[in-house]
Amino acid sequence: MSGFAAATAVTPSGDGMWEAAIAPGWDIAGNANGGYLMAMTARAATLAADRSDPVAVTAHFVAPGTPGPVTVQTQVLKQGRRFSTVEATLAAERPLARLLGTFGDLGDGAGHLERLGSEPPSLPPPDDCLRVEPTDTFPPPFVGRVDLRLHPDTGAFGVPGSAHVSGWLRLRDGEPVDTLSLLLAADALPPAVFFTDFPISWVPTVELTVHVRHRPRPGWLRCAFTTRFVTGGFLEEDGEIWDESGRLVAQSRQLALVPRG
Amino acid sequence: MSGFAAATAVTPSGDGMWEAAIAPGWDIAGNANGGYLMAMTARAATLAADRSDPVAVTAHFVAPGTPGPVTVQTQVLKQGRRFSTVEATLAAERPLARLLGTFGDLGDGAGHLERLGSEPPSLPPPDDCLRVEPTDTFPPPFVGRVDLRLHPDTGAFGVPGSAHVSGWLRLRDGEPVDTLSLLLAADALPPAVFFTDFPISWVPTVELTVHVRHRPRPGWLRCAFTTRFVTGGFLEEDGEIWDESGRLVAQSRQLALVPRG
């Protein structure tokens, strides 16, 4: 198995329980990336429901995850004709994340009405973008697990600008993207609000929801994230993920905490 | 108790179970409104966690609800210092909706950093907007339970236009809005996609997530909903809810099914 598939692998141990391990290197400042944890948990839920794809998945993060063994307890709440509803808890010694999702088989997406309100995000070719390489601090080790190329106009941290970030993303070593890796992609870029003069350097995720529309075709993912509202002690970050063929494959929204000013 | 509070009341029956009833008249074509069911379920979850407010709540709808007795089974997954994570299942003879949420005490929202990426939706005064009155079919009985005034430029159904709808909303008979009623507001306007020439007249909700930022101040809610992407057999509807004092009090996003064309 390649990097992402191996690092999110789950093994059934009966009664809806799955064994897994948080792999080293998928962390930001020591804590495993939320999208990575969500993808691992959703993999168990997808298998538990005997479905191919996450369709609408929400994770609430209750404690940070560090490398080592974990379990995923799944419960299929409803097995419908077209969709399954599943809940799952990722736990180490204590619960780390709780997931609730609808799963299905997205097929080829043919035969549906289509109307798109915007074009894919505009990005120069990947080789003309900013390649992000991991360090022990920032950029975090996590970016070494993916291949991330930010838009060349991406601003520096802490300078005036709009809370927007975009870039290309793919898995390393030619591993193809699938619908589970879209959950990873939904949380893989640096937070958009970092690219502003707003004094925020830490935005712990409360909740992340991803809606998957299509199975991505092979190649790069084109990703864009925007924060519009910092208020009430929270901010949202809205994401669009498009595949290389120009299809919207997922939307995401997360609610994150804003430290008190 | 007034209309909304009474229609979403829950009574504890021990072990995290709550008794309730789907009230008549909160339906659309016979099925109870999703936001209404979500508010009732979240009321039980809020009480179970001994918190004041929903903060980030997701509901997956698995079967339609009709008037009559229901139960809400709640489970507090984590009681943290600042937040509680709760899951809840609304059921009649079978499960109707599953909820996962983070609950807390929003307080007065003071002391936080603030940055807003847009103004509240522009709306003429409520008395200059289109008052929506219920019928047995469309507008549905549900709108009789709220006071809804659509923007006077709101288009007719089935004509070319952008998938956007906005309006004022308040509860009937002077009942004040609270954070639970924001969950109702998140699903209370006619779907934005109806106000286009797109041949869609039925958009069953798969999943609805609401992020609550502030307790609304007394008065009208200013609501705006937009659909940008119809693709893959689904559409999203994104909502903003502002209070009469001009504060963003909630954001919402739902994923709905699009019937095959």
Side-chain angles (χ1 to χ4, degrees):
Chain A
M1 278 190 293
S2 303
F4 171 73
T8 57
V10 296
T11 306
S13 60
D15 292 329
M17 184 69 91
W18 305 77
E19 309 283 339
I22 296 177
W26 292 82
D27 66 293
I28 295 163
N31 297 325
N33 171 265
Y36 163 70
L37 296 181
M38 189 177 186
M40 174 188 290
T41 311
R43 184 182 296 283
T46 306
L47 290 166
D50 195 22
R51 298 288 189 177
S52 308
D53 306 293
V55 172
V57 181
T58 289
H60 287 247
F61 298 94
V62 296
T66 52
V70 288
T71 58
V72 184
Q73 178 66 56
T74 60
Q75 187 186 354
V76 179
L77 305 170
K78 182 187 176 185
Q79 273 291 19
R81 188 180 57 80
R82 187 166 169 199
F83 299 114
S84 302
T85 309
V86 187
E87 64 170 21
T89 302
L90 176 73
E93 291 176 1
R94 56 181 175 168
L96 306 179
R98 184 77 163 195
L99 180 144
L100 177 62
T102 294
F103 297 81
D105 304 293
L106 289 176
D108 63 2
H112 290 292
L113 296 164
E114 290 272 328
R115 181 171 297 184
L116 299 181
S118 75
E119 299 287 308
S122 174
L123 288 166
D127 286 345
D128 296 336
C129 287
L130 305 170
R131 187 167 193 143
V132 184
E133 295 292 349
T135 68
D136 287 343
T137 54
F138 203 95
F142 165 74
V143 299
R145 300 306 189 186
V146 294
D147 188 351
L148 175 61
R149 317 284 178 93
L150 295 182
H151 194 293
D153 294 343
T154 301
F157 282 10
V159 299
S162 66
H164 181 78
V165 61
S166 61
W168 299 98
L169 183 83
R170 64 180 178 187
L171 300 175
R172 295 263 177 187
D173 306 319
E175 182 178 2
V177 287
D178 58 7
T179 49
L180 284 169
S181 54
L182 299 178
L183 309 183
L184 177 74
D187 194 37
L189 273 67
V193 75
F194 285 8
F195 300 97
T196 68
D197 58 338
F198 215 50
I200 298 177
S201 59
W202 184 59
V203 284
T205 304
V206 175
E207 182 263 336
L208 172 59
T209 294
V210 182
H211 294 167
V212 178
R213 301 294 188 94
H214 291 285
R215 292 185 190 149
R217 295 187 177 127
W220 288 93
L221 299 173
R222 203 187 276 257
C223 308
F225 296 88
T226 303
T227 292
R228 295 176 61 228
F229 298 108
V230 181
T231 186
F234 303 92
L235 60 80
E236 94 289 355
E237 185 174 88
D238 283 351
E240 291 176 16
I241 306 173
W242 301 68
D243 70 9
E244 197 173 317
S245 79
R247 295 199 308 179
L248 179 78
V249 290
Q251 283 182 293
S252 67
R253 172 174 286 174
Q254 69 168 269
L255 186 73
L257 276 175
V258 175
R260 258 176 204 277
Chain B
M1 279 191 293
S2 302
F4 172 72
T8 57
V10 297
T11 306
S13 60
D15 292 329
M17 182 71 89
W18 305 76
E19 309 283 340
I22 296 178
W26 292 82
D27 66 293
I28 294 163
N31 298 325
N33 171 266
Y36 163 71
L37 296 180
M38 188 178 187
M40 173 187 290
T41 311
R43 184 182 296 284
T46 305
L47 291 166
D50 196 23
R51 298 288 189 177
S52 308
D53 306 293
V55 171
V57 182
T58 290
H60 287 247
F61 298 94
V62 296
T66 51
V70 289
T71 59
V72 184
Q73 177 67 55
T74 60
Q75 188 186 354
V76 179
L77 305 168
K78 182 186 177 185
Q79 271 292 19
R81 187 180 58 79
R82 187 166 168 201
F83 298 115
S84 302
T85 310
V86 187
E87 65 170 20
T89 302
L90 176 72
E93 291 176 1
R94 56 181 177 168
L96 306 179
R98 185 78 164 196
L99 180 144
L100 176 62
T102 294
F103 297 80
D105 303 294
L106 289 176
D108 63 1
H112 290 292
L113 296 164
E114 289 272 328
R115 183 170 296 185
L116 299 182
S118 76
E119 299 287 309
S122 174
L123 287 166
D127 285 345
D128 295 337
C129 287
L130 305 170
R131 187 168 194 142
V132 184
E133 295 293 350
T135 69
D136 287 344
T137 55
F138 204 95
F142 165 73
V143 298
R145 300 306 189 185
V146 294
D147 188 352
L148 175 60
R149 316 285 178 95
L150 295 181
H151 193 294
D153 294 344
T154 301
F157 281 12
V159 299
S162 67
H164 181 78
V165 61
S166 62
W168 300 98
L169 183 82
R170 64 180 178 187
L171 299 175
R172 294 264 177 184
D173 305 319
E175 183 178 2
V177 288
D178 59 7
T179 49
L180 284 170
S181 54
L182 298 178
L183 308 183
L184 177 75
D187 194 37
L189 272 67
V193 75
F194 284 8
F195 300 97
T196 69
D197 57 337
F198 215 49
I200 298 177
S201 59
W202 183 59
V203 284
T205 303
V206 175
E207 183 262 336
L208 171 59
T209 294
V210 182
H211 295 166
V212 178
R213 299 295 188 93
H214 291 285
R215 290 186 192 149
R217 295 187 178 128
W220 289 93
L221 299 173
R222 203 187 277 256
C223 308
F225 297 86
T226 303
T227 292
R228 295 175 62 227
F229 298 109
V230 181
T231 185
F234 303 93
L235 61 81
E236 95 289 355
E237 184 173 88
D238 282 353
E240 292 177 15
I241 306 173
W242 301 68
D243 70 11
E244 196 173 316
S245 79
R247 296 199 308 178
L248 180 78
V249 291
Q251 283 182 295
S252 67
R253 174 174 284 174
Q254 70 168 268
L255 186 72
L257 276 175
V258 175
R260 258 176 204 278

